[in-house]
């Protein structure tokens, strides 16, 4: 049974049909290398297998789990992924990122020392050189298999790009060692050293040859208890993105209303609208981690891990609740019901705006899509809430 399986996949990018009824099955312990000129479709195969690209026909499966099909159905399972982009946000810490990729606690420092990165374990990724950053991205793709005694799929898109010769040699050894452990690896590369590790070499547009790779030796890295990443909350605490993007906008809204209105004279719907408006503004700013995830296409990697984008909704709930309480205090009346409603109104609005933006990320130019024009629709539920609370 194939651990990695693409069945009759047809993929079009723009007006170009890159893959036409393309199929491949990679068994346990097998390494398949995609080779060919730039633009021939190697990256498309990797990203289609990972479920990052919509397809006109066919399906992608990993370890028996549907990852994506032409009807839009999605699924997720444990596999390793390293794309041409490093897919790491600069404010992530080196050690934390490896643990997030593993999903389990283990001895990160020992692993990093083998790749001469143990001295950077507590550094932000943004502080690393390009080659060091690439090694971290590569380890994130390999670690799910390194800690698993069961076959795991590994997808590597030109992982040798930006690596020095010593690191490439380490990668060559790691590929054969993981294959010896029964893991399945689909890799694209131009490097003859990487190609030599493959059991099968597929030269685009399509010519398959057999390889004769050396046999490796798999050494399982012992893992401890599972961990929750909570990456959005960690980054929000580290960068204060929620306060900078959402909190400041809410305070500016409150300040503008104070300049135009006299809170003591407000009553009924106008008073309720005054109190809830800052929380609505904070919510309309969207997911504060969303912009951070654009760095090096980090959102793509996280999309393979969870259907929910990295977020800090709990922190947003606190911000919206505090700003609503502040608006209440300015009016001279503390209404706990309004404060609670304001907190949840803001965080629900933020979640909706975030999901709208997240839905466009697979497009080649997501910022060019005018989906934010739909956000004024969210004024309607705010108006309904104001109307009901004022009745």
């Amino acid at each position: 049974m194939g651990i990695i399986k693409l069945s009759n996949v047809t993929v079009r990018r723009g007006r170009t049909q890159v893959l036409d009824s393309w199929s491949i099955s990679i068994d346990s312990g097998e390494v398949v290398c995609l080779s060919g000129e730039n633009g021939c479709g190697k990256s498309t195969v990797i990203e289609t297998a990972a479920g990052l690209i919509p397809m006109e026909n066919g399906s992608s499966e990993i370890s028996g789990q549907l990852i994506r099909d032409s009807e839009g159905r999605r699924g997720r399972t444990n596999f390793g992924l390293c794309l041409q982009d490093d897919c790491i946000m600069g404010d992530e810490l080196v050690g934390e990122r490896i643990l997030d990729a593993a999903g389990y606690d283990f001895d990160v420092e020992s692993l990093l020392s083998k790749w001469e990165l143990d001295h950077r374990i507590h550094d932000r990724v943004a502080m690393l050189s390009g080659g060091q950053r690439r090694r971290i991205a590569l380890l994130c793709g390999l670690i799910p298999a390194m800690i698993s005694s069961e076959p795991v799929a590994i997808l590597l898109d030109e992982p040798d790009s930006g690596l020095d010769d010593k690191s490439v040699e380490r990668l060559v050894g790691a590929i054969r060692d993981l294959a010896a452990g029964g893991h399945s690896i689909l890799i694209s590369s131009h490097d003859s050293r990487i190609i030599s590790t493959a059991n099968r070499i597929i030269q685009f547009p399509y010519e398959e040859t057999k390889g004769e790779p050396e046999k490796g030796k798999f050494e399982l890295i012992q893992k401890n208890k599972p961990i929750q990443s909570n990456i959005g909350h960690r980054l929000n605490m580290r960068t204060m993105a929620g306060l900078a993007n959402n909190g400041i906008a809410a305070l500016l809204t409150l300040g503008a209303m104070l300049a135009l209105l006299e809170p003591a004279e407000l009553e009924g719907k106008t008073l309720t609208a005054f109190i809830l408006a800052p929380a609505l503004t904070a919510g309309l700013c969207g997911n504060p981690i969303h912009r951070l995830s654009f760095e090096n296409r980090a959102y793509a990697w996280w999309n393979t891990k969870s259907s929910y984008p990295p977020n800090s909704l709990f922190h947003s709930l606190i911000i919206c609740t505090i700003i609503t309480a502040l608006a209440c205090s300015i009016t001279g009346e503390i209404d706990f019901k309004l404060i609670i409603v304001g907190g949840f109104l803001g965080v629900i609005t933020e979640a909706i705006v975030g999901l709208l933006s997240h839905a466009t990320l697979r497009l080649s130019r997501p910022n060019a899509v005018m989906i934010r024009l739909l956000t004024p629709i969210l004024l309607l539920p705010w108006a309904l809430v104001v109307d009901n609370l004022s009745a």
Side-chain angles (χ1 to χ4, degrees), residues 377-390:
I377 296 175
L378 296 175
L379 291 174
L380 178 59
W382 172 78
L384 292 174
V385 169
V386 169
D387 187 59
N388 288 329
L389 291 177
S390 303

Side-chain angles (χ1 to χ4, degrees), residues 278-337:
L280 174 69
T281 302
L284 288 174
C285 291
N287 181 355
I289 310 301
H290 177 80
R291 294 178 185 174
L292 300 179
S293 70
F294 272 87
E295 185 176 1
N296 291 293
R297 208 181 166 205
Y299 61 83
W301 189 87
W302 284 103
N303 189 38
T304 66
K305 299 294 181 181
S306 173
S307 57
Y308 301 101
N311 63 78
S312 55
L313 290 179
F314 179 72
H315 293 163
S316 298
L317 177 62
I318 294 175
I319 290 175
C320 292
T321 301
I322 291 175
I323 197 68
T324 306
L326 179 60
C328 268
S329 65
I330 290 174
T331 64
E333 296 182 12
I334 300 297
D335 188 329
F336 290 102
K337 181 180 179 181

Side-chain angles (χ1 to χ4, degrees), residues 141-210:
L142 298 177
I143 192 60
M146 289 178 168
I147 63 172
S148 176
S149 58
E150 299 296 323
V152 170
I154 300 297
L155 308 175
L156 307 174
D157 190 4
E158 298 194 16
D160 52 291
S161 176
L163 295 182
D164 56 29
D165 289 339
K166 191 174 182 180
S167 296
V168 173
E169 293 299 331
R170 287 196 193 98
L171 172 58
V172 168
I175 291 173
R176 291 315 312 167
D177 290 344
L178 292 176
H183 303 295
S184 301
I185 302 174
L186 177 61
I187 184 170
S188 70
S189 179
H190 300 282
D191 194 306
S192 59
R193 293 168 292 180
I194 303 295
I195 295 174
S196 69
T197 66
N199 301 96
R200 284 188 285 157
I201 302 101
I202 298 176
Q203 179 75 32
F204 280 77
Y206 197 88
E207 180 182 347
E208 183 173 321
T209 58
K210 297 289 185 179

Side-chain angles (χ1 to χ4, degrees), residues 17-239:
Q17 186 166 288
V18 182
L19 300 177
D20 184 13
S21 298
W22 206 85
S23 299
I24 191 172
S25 181
I26 304 174
D27 295 328
S28 174
E30 190 177 20
V31 178
V32 174
C33 185
L34 308 176
S35 183
E37 297 179 356
N38 292 332
C40 65
K42 304 186 302 297
S43 296
T44 299
V45 172
I46 300 288
E47 295 191 21
T48 300
L52 296 174
I53 298 179
M55 56 192 81
E56 293 188 354
N57 291 296
S59 63
S60 168
E61 294 181 10
I62 292 180
S63 300
Q65 168 68 51
L66 175 69
I67 299 301
R68 189 166 195 156
D69 66 10
S70 57
E71 296 181 7
R73 289 176 291 193
R74 288 296 307 270
R76 287 171 177 82
T77 190
N78 181 43
F79 64 91
L81 177 67
C82 176
L83 299 176
Q84 288 189 39
D85 297 285
D86 295 335
C87 297
I88 308 176
M89 291 174 272
D91 288 299
E92 295 182 71
L93 302 186
V94 170
E96 286 181 353
R97 172 56 183 237
I98 301 295
L99 289 173
D100 287 338
Y104 289 88
D105 186 25
F106 73 99
D107 187 0
V108 180
E109 189 169 0
S110 294
L111 173 64
L112 291 175
S113 66
K114 295 179 180 179
W115 290 75
E116 300 179 358
L117 289 167
D118 51 309
H119 62 295
R120 310 306 298 267
I121 188 171
H122 300 299
D123 289 343
R124 298 193 188 200
V125 173
M127 299 171 63
L128 305 182
S129 67
Q132 291 174 326
R133 186 172 185 141
R134 190 58 182 167
R135 274 181 272 168
I136 296 300
L138 176 58
L139 286 173
C140 289
L142 298 177
I143 192 60
M146 289 178 168
I147 63 172
S148 176
S149 58
E150 299 296 323
V152 170
I154 300 297
L155 308 175
L156 307 174
D157 190 4
E158 298 194 16
D160 52 291
S161 176
L163 295 182
D164 56 29
D165 289 339
K166 191 174 182 180
S167 296
V168 173
E169 293 299 331
R170 287 196 193 98
L171 172 58
V172 168
I175 291 173
R176 291 315 312 167
D177 290 344
L178 292 176
H183 303 295
S184 301
I185 302 174
L186 177 61
I187 184 170
S188 70
S189 179
H190 300 282
D191 194 306
S192 59
R193 293 168 292 180
I194 303 295
I195 295 174
S196 69
T197 66
N199 301 96
R200 284 188 285 157
I201 302 101
I202 298 176
Q203 179 75 32
F204 280 77
Y206 197 88
E207 180 182 347
E208 183 173 321
T209 58
K210 297 289 185 179
E212 297 181 356
E214 296 182 4
K215 189 173 179 61
K217 182 180 179 181
F218 179 64
E219 294 183 4
L220 180 68
I221 295 177
Q222 296 299 320
K223 62 187 178 183
N224 300 314
K225 61 181 181 179
I227 60 172
Q228 297 293 328
S229 67
N230 296 320
I231 179 64
H233 293 94
R234 289 205 312 265
L235 285 181
N236 195 33
M237 290 293 292
R238 193 169 296 147
T239 65

